[in-house]
């Protein structure tokens, strides 16, 4: 017998902003013109929760009675409506479910109960199977989510299998250039042949063993650094702007960039031309000219902030 309790929460008419927004996107962007309405429900499954805590949490945590409808186990649906649900992949952090579990714990002053969540979209209109699949692909990002089963589980306790022995890449440190190329293609690595050789040298001289596939995948993930080292910092030796209606504007812009570099670096610590330098050139030029007195400078290299005094209705 299932110990899991399931509830659905849906915004009332006038407050269903998300549904209205999705209807506009599906009709205007996806071209599904016969869609009439989109309802959005948040589904929660709860396990290991006392009945009193469950009863209180329905209106104190999961819903606001003036704004929301709340349904237990099932929700109303008409004949001209169809629906699907989607949820985070196992292992992905579900902030909605975690926040709910923390709130219930504060309410009950007991151990945290188990909570999972899913999003349910109810579509009203003459929707074909192909159009339904288009909508699913639009809203479900396969990197982090999947279509959810509608059947309620018997328990939210996870049964985890012990992982198998991690594969050791036998012969890795002895690979030649041909082997390295095949290895990169086989495993879809972001690094290049020189990178693989560098790692070979490390495992040969420092670790004195072959690496595991996990070690290679982790290194490759962090090595790529969102393409920073291979794309944005790659030295640009020559630039050719192809003929187009934007040729003159692009040429003028690039020539101005080259002139600004002389002012920015003044012949000292001049960095090579790359996409990163090109992206930061305007900011560096304005800084040299004293046009950014409110620029906040920190050790952080991935973002910058502007510090200003905000005048809100005459108050600072």
């Amino acid at each position: 017998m299932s110990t899991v309790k399931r509830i659905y929460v849906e915004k009332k008419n006038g407050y269903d902003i998300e549904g209205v927004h999705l209807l506009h996107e599906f009709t205007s962007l996806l071209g599904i013109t016969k869609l009439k309405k989109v309802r959005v429900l948040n589904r929660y499954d709860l396990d290991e929760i006392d009945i009193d805590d469950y009863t209180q949490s329905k209106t104190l945590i999961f819903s606001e009675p003036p704004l929301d409808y709340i349904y237990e186990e099932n929700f109303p649906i008409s004949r001209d409506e169809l629906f699907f649900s989607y949820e985070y992949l196992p292992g992905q952090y579900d902030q909605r479910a975690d926040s709910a579990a923390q709130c219930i714990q504060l309410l009950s002053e007991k151990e945290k109960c188990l909570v999972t969540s899913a999003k349910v979209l109810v579509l009203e209109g003459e929707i074909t199977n192909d159009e339904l699949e288009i909508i699913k692909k639009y809203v479900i990002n396969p990197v982090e989510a999947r279509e959810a089963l509608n059947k309620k589980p018997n328990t939210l306790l996870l049964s985890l299998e012990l992982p198998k022995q991690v594969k050791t890449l036998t012969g890795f440190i002895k690979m030649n250039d041909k082997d390295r190329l095949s290895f990169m293609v086989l495993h879809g690595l972001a690094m290049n042949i020189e990178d693989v050789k560098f790692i070979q040298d490390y495992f040969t001289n420092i670790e004195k063993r072959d690496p595991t596939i996990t070690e290679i995948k982790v290194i490759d993930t962090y090595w790529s650094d969102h393409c920073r080292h291979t794309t944005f910092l790659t030295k640009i030796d020559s630039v050719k702007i192809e003929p187009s209606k934007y040729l003159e504007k692009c040429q003028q812009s690039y020539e101005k960039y080259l002139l600004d570099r002389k002012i920015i670096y003044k012949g000292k610590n001049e960095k090579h031309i790359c996409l990163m330098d090109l992206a930061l050139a305007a900011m560096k030029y304005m800084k040299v000219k004293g046009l950014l007195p409110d620029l906040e400078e920190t050790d952080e290299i991935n973002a910058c902030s502007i510090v200003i005094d905000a005048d809100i209705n005459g108050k600072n």
Side-chain angles (χ1 to χ4, degrees):
M1 181 178 177
S2 175
T3 60
V4 177
K5 296 176 175 58
R6 171 169 288 184
I7 58 176
Y8 297 88
V9 181
E10 178 182 13
K11 290 294 180 187
K12 294 181 178 180
N13 290 337
Y15 301 100
D16 54 341
I17 298 173
E18 185 177 3
V20 173
H21 178 72
L22 288 175
L23 174 64
H24 175 71
E25 288 191 0
F26 295 163
T27 54
S28 61
L29 297 181
L30 303 184
I32 305 176
T33 56
K34 293 186 178 181
L35 185 63
K36 298 178 180 178
K37 185 177 181 179
V38 177
R39 296 167 54 197
V40 180
L41 296 90
N42 288 309
R43 188 184 82 189
Y44 300 93
D45 287 341
L46 300 89
D47 200 0
E48 299 190 348
I49 182 172
D50 292 345
I51 187 63
D52 291 339
D53 297 331
Y54 167 70
T55 302
Q56 290 187 72
S57 66
K58 285 191 298 181
T59 53
L60 291 178
I61 295 172
F62 291 104
S63 68
E64 297 177 82
L67 309 181
D68 302 309
Y69 297 113
I70 186 165
Y71 315 108
E72 295 184 80
E73 300 304 326
N74 294 295
F75 61 91
I77 185 169
S78 63
R79 290 184 178 180
D80 59 346
E81 291 179 324
L82 53 85
F83 75 95
F84 68 93
S85 311
Y86 59 100
E87 63 188 357
Y88 281 109
L89 292 170
Q92 285 283 354
Y93 176 62
D94 186 345
Q95 184 176 3
R96 180 181 292 275
D98 185 47
S99 298
Q102 291 183 52
C103 290
I104 294 172
Q105 186 179 29
L106 290 172
L107 177 69
S108 66
E109 298 182 351
K110 301 170 186 174
E111 290 294 321
K112 187 186 294 185
C113 69
L114 301 177
V115 182
T116 62
S117 76
K119 184 84 74 175
V120 181
L121 296 189
V122 182
L123 310 172
E124 179 184 340
E126 299 178 18
I127 309 300
T128 66
N129 290 333
D130 289 341
E131 289 174 332
L132 178 60
E133 290 304 312
I134 290 173
I135 291 175
K136 287 180 180 180
K137 289 182 180 180
Y138 182 78
V139 299
I140 303 176
N141 179 0
V143 174
E144 64 178 15
R146 66 182 180 185
E147 188 170 355
L149 298 175
N150 295 316
K151 182 179 179 181
K152 187 177 71 173
N154 292 326
T155 178
L156 298 185
L157 291 171
L158 296 177
S159 57
L160 301 177
E161 296 181 4
L162 290 175
K164 298 178 180 179
Q165 184 67 32
V166 178
K167 180 182 177 182
T168 297
L169 299 173
T170 305
F172 176 87
I173 59 178
K174 296 181 179 180
M175 291 192 305
N176 56 32
D177 281 346
K178 183 179 179 181
D179 296 332
R180 293 185 196 108
L181 183 59
S182 299
F183 179 81
M184 289 164 47
V185 174
L186 177 63
H187 296 285
L189 301 181
M191 58 182 77
N192 56 33
I193 290 181
E194 288 74 20
D195 299 333
V196 176
K197 189 174 187 308
F198 179 86
I199 296 171
Q200 276 185 291
D201 293 340
Y202 170 80
F203 277 96
T204 300
N205 301 317
I206 306 300
E207 298 291 338
K208 302 185 187 306
R209 63 173 175 84
D210 285 315
T212 65
I213 183 62
T214 302
E215 288 172 319
I216 291 298
K217 288 292 186 179
V218 170
I219 292 172
D220 188 60
T221 298
Y222 285 92
W223 197 290
S224 66
D225 189 21
H226 305 292
C227 298
R228 182 185 180 88
H229 82 293
T230 54
T231 302
F232 292 104
L233 295 182
T234 296
K235 182 179 180 180
I236 298 176
D237 294 316
S238 62
V239 174
K240 179 182 178 182
I241 302 175
E242 295 184 349
S244 72
K245 63 180 180 180
Y246 303 110
L247 172 62
E248 185 178 351
K249 290 293 184 181
C250 289
Q251 190 69 45
Q252 291 174 356
S253 180
Y254 184 68
E255 289 174 357
K256 184 178 187 306
Y257 160 67
L258 296 179
L259 292 174
D260 289 347
R261 278 174 53 87
K262 297 179 181 180
I263 298 173
I264 293 169
Y265 298 113
K266 300 177 181 178
K268 298 179 181 179
N269 301 320
E270 184 171 333
K271 295 185 178 181
H272 59 251
I273 296 176
C274 61
L275 294 179
M276 184 63 74
D277 188 67
L278 186 61
L280 298 177
M283 180 275 296
K284 290 181 178 179
Y285 178 83
M286 293 173 70
K287 180 183 175 183
V288 169
K289 290 294 186 179
L291 301 175
L292 291 177
D294 49 5
L295 177 68
E296 179 188 22
E297 296 190 58
T298 69
D299 292 332
E300 171 62 54
I301 61 173
N302 292 323
C304 66
S305 305
I306 300 296
V307 181
I308 64 171
D309 292 328
D311 185 345
I312 307 298
N313 296 328
K315 296 182 179 180
N316 189 17

